[in-house]
Amino acid sequence: MSRLLAACCALLLALPAHADGFISRLLDKPVPGGVAVVDLGDGPTPPKATYQDKPVLTVREDGKRWLAIVGIPLTVKPGEQRIEADGRSLAFRVEPRHYREQRITLKNQRQVDPNPEDLKRFERELAEQTDAYRRFEPRQPSNLLFDKPVAGPLSSPFGLRRFFNGEERNPHSGLDFAVPAGTPIKAPAAGRVTLVGDYFFNGQTVFVDHGQGLVSMFCHLSRVEVKTGDELPRGAVLGRVGATGRATGPHLHWNVSLNDARVDPAIFIGAFEK
C-alpha cells in the first residue's frame, strides 16, 4: 500500500460516521425530563412534527438538515418513543435516569394540604398556566443556548422527588438558584411575556414564550417588572428574586417547557449532568 493511500485510509478511519452539530451536542439528552434531537432530513421546507399529539420545535442546523427538538415528560418510561413528521414515524430511545429525593419543612400547613377554597383557587390558576405552556407560536427561538437568568449557585436541581412535611408531592419541575431577594432576573433568550400572575404555590410569576412551544417560567418573585404582551430581548430584566408563594426563603425557581413537557433547564445552559 502506498504512503498516500495509507494516509487516506487513516484519515477516513479518524472521521466520525455522523458528525453531530452544535445543537445535537448541546441538547440531545434523551432521558425522562430531558430532550431528544431527532434528524428530520434535509428537505427544502421545515417538516411539521408532533410528539404525543403535540407540535414540536423544529430548527435547521448549519443550513442543512432539519432537527426536531423534543421535550420528554418526566413520566415517560425508558425505551423507544416515536414522533410523527410529515407522514413518517421516527423513533428515538429514552435512557434511564435516577433522580434524588428532597425533603422540605413548611411552617404553613395549608401549602401542603390546601383547604377547599385554596384548591378552587389552585385549579383556576393551574388552568391559566397550562394554557401558557401549551401555546405554540410559529416564531423561531432566537437561541437555544440560554443564559442563566441569575448569577448564583444552584440550590435544587430538576427532577427531585419532593416531600413537604413528610408528604410526597410532584417532582421538582425546574432549577432553583440560591440568590438574595431583589436580585435582577434576566430573560435567558428573547421572547414575549404571555402570562403574569400571583399564584397560590408559585407566588409572583412570569411566563416568557421563546417560540415554537419553548417556554420559560419564573416564580417566587418579589417584584414583577414586565406586563403581558411585552417583547423582551435577551438579557432584559423581568423582575426581582423573592420568596412569594410556597417558598422557604428567597430564591429563583426557573422552569423550561418544551412541547408542554417540563424539561431540565440545565440542558439549555450547558450544565446537564447525567
Side-chain angles (χ1 to χ4, degrees):
M1 182 183 293
S2 70
R3 290 182 180 179
L4 178 59
L5 181 58
C8 289
C9 289
L11 179 61
L12 287 171
L13 289 172
L15 290 173
H18 176 70
D20 285 334
F22 170 76
I23 293 174
S24 296
R25 294 195 303 273
L26 173 69
L27 298 182
D28 193 35
K29 317 295 180 189
V31 298
V35 175
V37 177
V38 182
D39 193 331
L40 300 178
D42 57 0
T45 58
K48 293 187 182 300
T50 60
Y51 174 59
Q52 297 183 342
D53 297 322
K54 295 177 182 176
V56 166
L57 166 63
T58 58
V59 297
R60 195 165 200 172
E61 186 167 53
D62 300 329
K64 297 176 182 175
R65 46 185 191 138
W66 293 99
L67 303 175
I69 313 299
V70 185
I72 306 168
L74 265 170
T75 53
V76 166
K77 303 298 184 186
E80 185 179 283
Q81 292 285 304
R82 288 187 170 271
I83 68 168
E84 305 300 317
D86 288 349
R88 295 176 295 159
S89 181
L90 303 173
F92 65 92
R93 186 159 193 84
V94 176
E95 303 297 333
R97 189 185 189 195
H98 173 72
Y99 291 101
R100 304 194 311 272
E101 292 184 3
Q102 180 185 44
R103 296 181 179 270
I104 299 169
T105 301
L106 294 173
K107 294 179 181 178
N108 185 354
Q109 186 63 27
R110 279 175 59 190
Q111 292 185 328
V112 181
D113 295 308
N115 63 34
E117 190 171 323
D118 294 334
L119 284 172
K120 286 182 181 178
R121 176 186 170 187
F122 168 70
E123 288 169 3
R124 183 180 67 253
E125 294 173 350
L126 179 62
E128 286 184 5
Q129 294 173 80
T130 299
D131 285 345
Y133 282 128
R134 289 180 177 173
R135 290 175 181 266
F136 193 85
E137 299 193 356
R139 78 165 77 196
Q140 188 78 28
S142 63
N143 51 286
L144 294 174
L145 175 59
F146 283 1
D147 297 329
K148 287 184 179 180
V150 293
L154 181 68
S155 56
S156 292
F158 174 88
L160 290 172
R161 290 181 58 207
R162 296 186 303 171
F163 295 80
F164 290 94
N165 297 359
E167 298 183 33
E168 187 168 11
R169 292 296 183 262
N170 290 333
H172 194 225
S173 59
L175 294 182
D176 286 354
F177 294 89
V179 290
T183 300
I185 302 165
K186 299 180 180 180
R192 185 168 69 88
V193 178
T194 53
L195 183 63
V196 173
D198 190 355
Y199 298 123
F200 182 76
F201 287 124
N202 290 353
Q204 295 198 60
T205 300
V206 175
F207 279 73
V208 178
D209 193 316
H210 305 293
Q212 292 198 52
L214 181 58
V215 178
S216 283
M217 187 273 282
F218 311 88
C219 66
H220 306 309
L221 279 60
S222 61
R223 188 167 78 242
V224 172
E225 300 183 3
V226 293
K227 63 184 184 301
T228 302
D230 283 353
E231 293 285 349
L232 304 183
R234 183 178 186 171
V237 174
L238 56 90
R240 306 282 167 164
V241 170
T244 56
R246 186 167 66 183
T248 56
H251 69 283
L252 172 65
H253 175 91
W254 174 37
N255 269 14
V256 171
S257 185
L258 189 57
N259 50 268
D260 193 29
R262 261 49 90 206
V263 297
D264 191 345
I267 294 170
F268 291 84
I269 56 175
F272 177 83
E273 294 181 2
K274 181 117 182 235

